[in-house]
Amino acid sequence: MEKTKTEPIECRLMVIGAGMAGMAAALFAARRGIATVQAGLTGETLYASGLFDLYGVSPGTRMLIDDPWQGLKRLRQDHPRHPFGLVSDHQIRSAMDLLTRFLDEAGHPYRGYPDQNARVITPVGTIKRTFRVPATMWAGVTALETKAPCLIVDVKGLRGFSAKQIVSTLKPSWPDLTAASIDLPRENRMGPKYAEHIARGLEVEAGRRELAEAIAPHLGQAKAVGLPAILAIHGTETVRKALGQMLGVPVFEIPTMPPAISGIRLKEAFDAHMPALGVNTFYQHTVHAISRLKDGRFVLEIGRTEPETTVVAEHVLLATGRFLGKGLVAGRQGIGESLFDLPVSQPENRGCWHRETFLDPRGHAINLAGVETDDRFRPVTADGRPVYDNLYAAGSILAHQDWIRTKSGTGLAVATAYGAIEAMDSFHP
Ligand SMILES: Cc1cc2nc3c(=O)[nH]c(=O)nc-3n(C[C@H](O)[C@H](O)[C@H](O)COP(=O)(O)OP(=O)(O)OC[C@H]3O[C@@H](n4cnc5c(N)ncnc54)[C@H](O)[C@@H]3O)c2cc1C
């Protein structure tokens, strides 16, 4: 039987992508009252540590950045084509504030310093610079600063997080750090433990009490307790505070290896709250075909495995990510853009994609590939003209940036989404 298709949906903006750039763009558009439709799979968010990096490492020199604003000033001078050159500090601050306010309202508060990166313990015991930190991790930032006596705890059978490893790496600079490995009797002792299962189990009082009872005998002189980021999916702050009360000292989370519970938290917060802002969401849907009407509007066919819904949009924002997100595809002929066949700025040939050593501090040319835009975030042709007047791009698909090396994933996604939406709204009010 042939499927009946629904009436086309008309909107001012179609956001393609549901990673951090797409989510931020839809959020900023909704806050401006722009009728927005959004489609995309979960994207890289599920891998997210929960930390919102802005600018943590300078490219080339690998210098660690404590003041991201000073760092960005330098970056714009030394790398004028970097997409951070398209947004002002004020726009970046506004973008980050809007995002963290949204997450606060959704039950996931964030903390950070106005002008400095915070230092956070990583799951391997190194220290990472980042701009915004889930409130559940903030007591760890303070403990690291003061080097207070602290207990790091892991759960036996939970892979990818070893308290012993973290402590042995940090101990030279933090002598009063101790490690403990605990059992959770309600979890299956025989097999591996699953972080999501433990996290959901801690949403109930009995689960929290069991965890506190398992930690208490190891407490000693500790003034704070660090745990892997598994303290519930929803109401994490409540769970963290309740555990702290049971133990008599503050408890904090330490980011875990990807895929992480922090990513599930973000995904569920966006999934649940974006529709309430008025965004017409088609999550787990992709765009299958695109055409253009005579008046310039885009017609997009979206669906799960085949076209189910037609969207007619005055403007489109492309936030389809890089290779993982599937915004870019690499083949024998080079790197292409997957939806509009946009020109992609890229190394001359495949032989230039990578340097000889994977860890070469200068990075790899392929990681700077992407879509080039004008100063209004519209993808451009080789001679610098916008491909379409009403097509914008934001996030990791943009050329001339290597967010992995510069530790600027979320910051770049969110700042460019803000810049693109502001450009679209002010030039086409
Ligand atoms: C392992 C890992 C760890 C990370 N850790 C951190 C961290 O600690 N801190 C930090 O700040 N950042 C981190 N990031 C980076 C951050 O998650 C990314 O920079 C950011 O998600 C990039 O976002 P994006 O929206 O541009 O792309 P993506 O997240 O890749 O999203 C692309 C979106 O486009 C959609 N899409 C593609 N094609 C179509 C189509 N045809 N139709 C519809 N939709 C389509 C995809 O489904 C997806 O929704 C990490 C990323 C990874 C992979």
Side-chain angles (χ1 to χ4, degrees):
M1 201 173 67
E2 202 174 303
K3 267 194 188 164
T4 47
K5 273 182 71 175
T6 51
E7 283 291 302
I9 300 171
E10 298 202 0
C11 63
R12 199 159 150 229
L13 174 69
M14 170 87 206
V15 174
I16 311 178
M20 197 49 92
M23 288 301 186
L27 167 66
F28 302 149
R31 292 285 193 224
R32 284 170 172 263
I34 296 169
T36 303
V37 176
Q38 185 189 13
L41 311 175
T42 305
E44 293 177 13
T45 306
L46 275 187
Y47 299 96
S49 63
L51 304 175
F52 289 169
D53 304 342
L54 172 56
Y55 185 48
V57 180
S58 76
T61 65
R62 311 285 294 139
M63 203 177 72
L64 301 176
I65 306 279
D66 284 316
D67 178 341
W69 307 107
Q70 277 301 326
L72 286 173
K73 206 166 152 190
R74 262 310 276 278
L75 180 78
R76 292 180 186 116
Q77 282 163 6
D78 297 346
H79 302 268
R81 296 207 291 173
H82 194 287
F84 270 134
L86 301 174
V87 278
S88 65
D89 288 357
H90 179 72
Q91 285 176 305
I92 300 173
R93 285 185 196 272
S94 304
M96 279 292 196
D97 286 352
L98 277 173
L99 175 68
T100 49
R101 215 174 306 147
F102 164 80
L103 288 168
D104 195 358
E105 285 162 13
H108 298 282
Y110 270 73
R111 301 280 298 269
Y113 302 116
D115 295 318
Q116 291 285 311
N117 278 329
R119 296 176 185 216
V120 179
I121 307 167
T122 72
V124 288
T126 52
I127 309 292
K128 176 176 169 170
R129 269 90 168 150
T130 192
F131 190 60
R132 289 291 173 261
V133 179
T136 59
M137 298 181 188
W138 193 251
V141 173
T142 316
L144 175 64
E145 255 171 33
T146 58
K147 303 282 167 28
C150 194
L151 171 70
I152 308 292
V153 176
D154 68 32
V155 177
K156 285 180 191 161
L158 183 67
R159 294 194 177 132
F161 190 96
S162 158
K164 220 167 153 185
Q165 185 189 345
I166 294 175
V167 170
S168 72
T169 310
L170 285 173
K171 194 110 180 151
S173 62
W174 192 349
D176 288 335
L177 207 54
T178 48
S181 250
I182 57 157
D183 258 324
L184 289 178
R186 275 150 44 106
E187 296 294 321
N188 169 18
R189 278 166 185 266
M190 304 302 290
K193 307 276 194 297
Y194 294 100
E196 186 171 349
H197 194 239
I198 300 176
R200 294 200 193 270
L202 292 173
E203 286 173 9
V204 293
E205 158 84 19
R208 296 197 281 274
R209 186 142 307 276
E210 182 194 72
L211 180 59
E213 282 166 6
I215 294 171
H218 303 277
L219 211 47
Q221 301 303 309
K223 297 276 181 274
V225 172
L227 286 159
I230 51 165
L231 302 183
I233 309 282
H234 303 280
T236 309
E237 263 301 76
T238 311
V239 170
R240 186 188 70 83
K241 284 179 185 160
L243 262 178
Q245 270 172 3
M246 287 175 195
L247 289 168
V249 293
V251 167
F252 62 89
E253 290 193 316
I254 297 171
T256 56
M257 294 288 191
I261 294 299
S262 313
I264 299 176
R265 287 176 192 154
L266 287 174
K267 177 191 166 349
E268 294 199 0
F270 283 125
D271 285 2
H273 295 272
M274 292 302 270
L277 295 181
V279 180
N280 195 348
T281 57
F282 288 84
Y283 297 146
Q284 308 317 320
H285 286 56
T286 53
V287 173
H288 295 262
I290 301 172
S291 56
R292 220 157 170 247
L293 297 174
K294 276 199 184 121
D295 61 10
R297 286 182 300 163
F298 288 102
V299 180
L300 305 109
E301 303 293 342
I302 62 176
R304 289 179 191 85
T305 53
E306 59 188 70
E308 294 165 32
T309 306
T310 304
V311 178
V312 180
E314 285 171 38
H315 303 270
V316 167
L317 182 127
L318 189 66
T320 45
R322 278 204 171 149
F323 303 103
L324 198 60
K326 296 197 169 46
L328 300 181
V329 279
R332 294 229 155 267
Q333 306 309 316
I335 301 164
E337 186 281 315
S338 58
L339 270 181
F340 290 83
D341 197 20
L342 296 170
V344 174
S345 163
Q346 58 189 288
E348 213 166 290
N349 58 58
R350 284 169 63 99
C352 309
W353 283 4
H354 296 101
R355 295 186 195 275
E356 278 197 6
T357 31
F358 179 67
L359 293 176
D360 191 310
R362 291 167 299 173
H364 303 282
I366 191 170
N367 294 330
L368 295 170
V371 169
E372 206 157 332
T373 71
D374 65 5
D375 56 5
R376 283 159 58 184
F377 290 93
R378 294 172 304 177
V380 289
T381 57
D383 59 4
R385 282 178 298 121
V387 180
Y388 300 106
D389 187 43
N390 52 348
L391 175 66
Y392 305 79
S396 58
I397 194 170
L398 297 177
H400 310 304
Q401 53 81 24
D402 183 351
W403 64 264
I404 298 179
R405 281 184 181 260
T406 53
K407 301 277 179 267
S408 49
T410 300
L412 186 100
V414 169
T416 55
Y418 188 90
I421 295 299
E422 197 171 68
M424 181 211 115
D425 201 26
S426 32
F427 282 91
H428 302 274

